[in-house]
Amino acid sequence: MYRKKALLIILYCFSHTIESQVLLKFDPDEVLLFAESQYEKAINQLKIENGMPRNGHSDGSWNQKPIEDWTSGFFPGTLWYLYENSKNEKWLKAAQKWTAPLEPLKLFNKHHDIGFMVYCSYGNGYRLTQNKNYKEIILQTSNTLATRYRPTTKTILSWGDINEKNPKTHKVIIDNMMNLEMLEWASKNGGSKKFDKISRNHANTTLKNHFRKDFSSYHLVEYNPNTGKVQNKSTVQGFADDSMWSRGQAWGIYGFIMMYRETAIKKYLKTSENLAKTYFESLPIDNIAYWDFNAPNIPNEPRDASSAAIVASACLELFELTEKKMYYNQAISILNELASDKYLAKTDNYSCVLLHSVGYKPINSEVNVNINYADYYFIEALIRLKKLQIKMFKNKQ
Ligand code: GLY
């Protein structure tokens, strides 16, 4: 009770440090407690031998996937965040348990997503425990990811076999920006310095080729593997080649502000800001993106809570690094909606946090479902918000 009152005072003081700000309509601690109760249900019923939880059902069960699935790091990552927030040993044990099966990924080279998979799980685990074994696994995974880098294109190959003889194309998707965080971390923590070079080169090439004049993003850019020239720009998960797939845009906003944090290179900040501007100018009134901003049947198209959660978290980082209050406002306007009964999985017997995400609409896969990465970035955003509030409060004193 005392804790809650103290938090409300902090929230009140914080809300008066920023002019004309969007008011927070929920208590982050209450939502985090709700997340704990949902994930408690999940860990009590999931069997680890069935694989990594990816998306779930109203009866509380989850679809579980092999560790090679690109989303395998998000469930353990969420458990690490719950531990970070609560300091409760129960979450530490659960996070350790659900992280351990991912170790073989350190040598997995079949796609680029090992950055997501290993940094969300082992990366958070190392940050919170300093476990040396976790560090070794992250460094080894970074070596593996670096084998997908090609100096001709100056990019990391997203999809495709690196051992293919004479490939005709080199595919890079915007999502790949997110894998660079692990390389940046590794280059500063005992790994090769070339990881930083690779990730800067990848970001620079993406910056050159992945965006239209209005700063909406292409999902997929294909390069000629022999010359590095762009061959084609298209979509896979979006509505059309020239549409703005909302999660792709979210990966870009998040990926470039992360690269600015890691390198202090101004053009990465500018890019994140430009991408965010386009995203926010295109949002519907309730601030939750449709799965694609150009989907044909808007307003009767599904929303994507995962895109919203990624952008909310990125906007809190944009606010922290620029001190521009509009980014705080944008984050809060999204979080207010996600923390409402419309999006929180309070009905039925779900054992997740957020409803209403879209995975891969063009093939009708995971449309209007709960999905592990929406929970991960939502909880990350709530924790970032709490840290920001404490920092602002201290600065005021
Ligand atoms: N990286 C795949 C996706 O965002 O769906």
Side-chain angles (χ1 to χ4, degrees):
M1 192 62 203
Y2 172 76
R3 218 172 133 231
K4 195 166 168 189
K5 262 197 187 140
L7 179 74
L8 288 174
I9 292 168
I10 291 174
L11 292 184
Y12 179 81
C13 294
F14 180 64
S15 71
H16 285 73
T17 61
I18 301 173
E19 233 184 301
S20 66
Q21 76 168 37
V22 174
L23 284 180
L24 194 61
K25 291 192 194 149
F26 65 95
D27 176 350
D29 272 325
E30 259 172 35
V31 179
L32 285 161
L33 277 177
F34 169 70
E36 284 196 49
S37 65
Q38 295 297 89
Y39 272 69
E40 174 123 37
K41 271 194 266 177
I43 58 172
N44 285 342
Q45 69 186 52
L46 287 165
K47 290 195 171 62
I48 201 160
E49 55 275 22
N50 292 342
M52 304 304 291
R54 174 168 168 141
N55 56 35
H57 308 285
S58 57
D59 64 359
S61 62
W62 288 71
N63 290 323
Q64 289 174 256
K65 298 280 176 193
I67 60 164
E68 294 80 10
D69 181 76
W70 82 272
T71 73
S72 63
F74 295 117
F75 186 83
T78 299
L79 299 175
W80 284 115
Y81 278 141
L82 293 178
Y83 170 59
E84 177 176 12
N85 182 60
S86 66
K87 308 283 182 304
N88 186 328
E89 290 279 310
K90 168 180 75 182
W91 295 116
L92 171 64
K93 289 210 172 76
Q96 287 168 329
K97 173 177 161 183
W98 284 90
T99 295
L102 301 185
E103 179 164 354
L105 293 176
K106 65 188 180 189
L107 299 174
F108 179 75
N109 66 4
K110 302 281 182 248
H111 56 68
H112 68 154
D113 290 312
I114 49 174
F116 275 112
M117 295 146 84
V118 168
Y119 201 64
C120 296
S121 54
Y122 284 101
N124 279 310
Y126 182 72
R127 185 172 61 82
L128 295 169
T129 65
Q130 305 292 296
N131 177 328
K132 286 201 178 72
N133 187 37
Y134 287 5
K135 182 175 178 176
E136 285 313 308
I137 290 166
I138 303 166
L139 293 177
Q140 179 64 64
T141 313
S142 300
N143 274 323
T144 304
L145 181 57
T147 64
R148 298 186 66 80
Y149 178 75
R150 292 290 170 270
T152 318
T153 56
K154 291 194 162 51
T155 51
I156 296 166
L157 178 67
S158 290
W159 297 331
D161 182 350
I162 51 169
N163 297 316
E164 188 183 336
K165 294 266 175 295
N166 304 319
K168 299 229 163 359
T169 181
H170 173 101
K171 295 182 178 184
V172 179
I173 57 173
I174 182 68
D175 325 28
N176 204 337
M177 284 300 301
M178 301 294 285
N179 295 304
L180 307 182
E181 190 167 10
M182 177 177 73
L183 293 182
E184 281 299 328
W185 181 90
S187 75
K188 297 176 184 91
N189 288 277
S192 165
K193 293 291 166 226
K194 80 175 181 206
F195 297 153
D196 174 53
K197 186 85 192 132
I198 288 174
S199 81
R200 287 176 195 224
N201 282 351
H202 184 96
N204 293 341
T205 311
T206 301
L207 202 159
K208 229 186 284 166
N209 299 321
H210 249 94
F211 308 118
R212 306 179 186 98
K213 283 206 169 68
D214 65 357
F215 276 96
S216 62
S217 48
Y218 288 99
H219 182 200
L220 170 65
V221 176
E222 290 179 71
Y223 297 87
N224 179 320
N226 302 315
T227 64
K229 285 217 169 90
V230 173
Q231 285 175 324
N232 195 33
K233 301 186 182 192
S234 61
T235 196
V236 177
Q237 282 167 264
F239 165 62
D241 291 345
D242 58 358
S243 71
M244 179 165 48
W245 175 47
S246 72
R247 197 166 51 260
Q249 192 76 8
W251 294 139
I253 297 167
Y254 191 117
F256 276 97
I257 192 58
M258 173 278 295
M259 279 301 288
Y260 174 64
R261 180 224 303 150
E262 293 300 322
T263 63
I265 294 175
K266 280 270 173 4
K267 68 182 172 187
Y268 298 153
L269 169 64
K270 194 74 209 133
T271 302
S272 181
E273 291 196 283
N274 285 333
L275 297 174
K277 184 166 181 284
T278 297
Y279 186 96
F280 279 92
E281 282 171 358
S282 314
L283 281 178
I285 192 87
D286 62 7
N287 295 302
I288 306 298
Y290 294 99
W291 69 278
D292 188 299
F293 287 99
N294 306 101
N297 299 314
I298 290 174
N300 300 315
E301 293 279 356
R303 305 303 179 109
D304 181 14
S306 76
S307 162
I310 296 159
V311 172
S313 188
C315 282
L316 290 174
E317 179 144 74
L318 272 161
F319 173 62
E320 193 170 4
L321 298 179
T322 64
E323 294 183 5
K324 290 182 189 169
K325 71 172 183 242
M326 86 179 160
Y327 294 124
Y328 172 83
N329 282 341
Q330 287 171 342
I332 300 305
S333 49
I334 291 176
L335 293 175
N336 277 342
E337 191 69 14
L338 291 180
S340 73
D341 286 352
K342 205 158 145 195
Y343 284 91
L344 289 183
K346 289 187 168 167
T347 56
D348 302 307
N349 199 31
Y350 283 103
S351 62
C352 60
V353 180
L354 283 183
L355 301 174
H356 309 312
S357 289
V358 172
Y360 192 169
K361 177 80 167 51
I363 60 164
N364 259 326
S365 167
E366 298 182 312
V367 177
N368 196 17
V369 296
N370 66 283
I371 208 151
N372 58 13
Y373 45 91
D375 286 2
Y376 176 88
Y377 289 103
F378 180 53
I379 289 169
E380 177 182 90
L382 295 177
I383 292 176
R384 283 183 173 181
L385 175 61
K386 283 182 62 180
K387 286 182 184 165
L388 208 50
Q389 288 167 339
I390 290 164
K391 193 165 140 191
M392 297 293 285
F393 184 62
K394 277 191 185 142
N395 286 347
K396 271 213 88 184
Q397 282 178 325

